[in-house]
Amino acid sequence: MARYRLRFLLQEFDLPRGATLIGRSSDCHVTIEDPLVSRQHARIVIDGDEATLQDLGSRNGVKLNGAPIRSGAKLKDGDRLRVGTQELVFCRVEQVANTAAKTTGFLRHCAKCRLPYPQEVIACPNCGATEQMDEETLSGQFGAASQGSWSVQLLIEVLEKALSLSRVADAERILRRATAQVEERIVSHEQVDPRQLATLAVAATRIALEVDDPTWGSWAAQVYRRVQFIPPAEVIERLGQLGPRHPEVAEAIEALVLHCRSFTRPLAEDETEVISRLEQLRASLAEVRASPRGAAADPRPS
């Protein structure tokens, strides 16, 4: 009798006989952190050799191979399920080798946005492009470091979707999970993806401005003191808006300037420019703090 699996990014889930719940709730068998996913979004039912996909009245619906389903639909090997912003692949396994279970997968890199995605997915889940970079296709067994990077990337995609919908509370919750994973990698002296860190820092400063809370702004400044990267110009701009109102952010900026000055590696032109802007920001914040009226000024544009 055939066995069935559900592939989500680089993870594969065995689908047992009976029902498998998919949703945002931790009570589901497959939990997806995505603001567009309902708590109990969909269900896959395995009955004999047949598999059926059901929409559980979700707010944003379920798509099967790009088309929305109304109530239930039969599944076949290779079918693509769209739940929220995430794409899953349904797999039929006729024979299972008698070897220890391991997480494997094949990646391709999108030629347009350069993000990796599973080989089974026809189009890039991020931008929809079908062009791929064959020379960067990866395969084989993925260890904890690769899985950690994938986990952060998944959270980033959901985070950006939440911010685009102005769901700040959801975004902050997801950001907290993503930054915790990055912090673990830094403490363990594991490699941190500079693009992922930049995206998280931009999101952190945006949330800090949205809720007028310096916590995330301070984190964005402090985390760059622990890695050999230069923060994006967008982060510097937002820190400049937070600094005059929140002394702790101004202090974090001052410490970040000293850290960047200590770099001994050659700096790219854009990095040198960002450091120059950071030093200008530090000087302007020092003037604000020295002015009796500066502390009360609101630097936000009208």
Side-chain angles (χ1 to χ4, degrees), residues 19 28 61 74 95 111 133 158-159 163 168 190 220-221 253 291 296 298:
C28 292
K74 300 294 184 183
Q95 293 182 347
M133 301 173 65
V158 181
L159 169 63
L163 286 173
V168 179
E190 297 178 17
I253 290 172
S291 170
D298 188 347

Side-chain angles (χ1 to χ4, degrees), residues 175 179 182-183 197 200-201 204 214-224:
L175 178 63
T179 54
V182 170
E183 292 285 349
L197 184 61
L200 292 175
T215 304
W216 285 118
S218 296
W219 175 84
Q222 292 169 359
V223 72
Y224 274 95

Side-chain angles (χ1 to χ4, degrees), residues 91-287:
C91 306
R92 178 186 175 100
V93 184
E94 296 293 347
Q95 293 182 347
V96 179
N98 187 24
T99 57
K102 61 182 179 181
T103 301
T104 61
F106 293 86
L107 292 179
R108 57 177 49 160
H109 279 67
C110 176
K112 183 176 181 181
C113 69
R114 303 184 68 86
L115 289 177
Y117 62 95
Q119 188 179 47
E120 290 82 0
V121 179
I122 296 176
C124 172
N126 180 61
C127 68
T130 56
E131 298 82 6
Q132 64 185 33
M133 301 173 65
D134 291 332
E135 70 277 7
E136 288 193 26
T137 299
L138 308 173
S139 65
Q141 184 172 355
F142 293 83
S146 296
Q147 291 176 356
S149 181
W150 265 97
S151 179
V152 172
Q153 185 59 42
L154 172 60
L155 290 170
I156 284 175
E157 292 176 8
V158 181
L159 169 63
E160 291 180 326
K161 176 62 68 174
L163 286 173
S164 71
L165 297 173
S166 299
R167 298 177 63 166
V168 179
D170 284 334
E172 188 171 11
R173 174 173 52 83
I174 298 165
L175 178 63
R176 190 173 295 110
R177 292 186 57 185
T179 54
Q181 293 193 30
V182 170
E183 292 285 349
E184 288 179 3
R185 295 178 72 84
I186 293 175
V187 170
S188 302
H189 303 289
E190 297 178 17
Q191 184 176 359
V192 176
D193 188 323
R195 291 172 299 180
Q196 290 183 343
L197 184 61
T199 302
L200 292 175
V202 168
T205 51
R206 176 177 171 180
I207 291 174
L209 285 172
E210 290 276 357
V211 300
D212 195 25
D213 184 338
T215 304
W216 285 118
S218 296
W219 175 84
Q222 292 169 359
V223 72
Y224 274 95
R225 292 167 50 197
R226 302 162 61 196
V227 294
Q228 292 297 307
F229 307 144
I230 303 295
E234 187 175 354
V235 170
I236 304 303
E237 180 182 351
R238 289 184 174 144
L239 288 176
Q241 299 176 55
L242 286 165
R245 301 200 300 276
H246 301 289
E248 56 267 57
V249 175
E251 293 172 2
I253 290 172
E254 184 167 355
L256 179 59
V257 170
L258 296 176
H259 171 69
C260 291
R261 283 179 176 175
S262 69
F263 279 17
T264 57
R265 65 174 176 83
L267 298 176
E269 183 178 350
D270 58 337
E271 291 181 319
T272 302
E273 182 179 345
V274 169
I275 293 177
S276 176
R277 293 178 62 178
L278 190 59
E279 290 178 334
Q280 293 173 9
L281 173 59
R282 177 201 183 196
S284 65
L285 290 176
E287 291 179 2

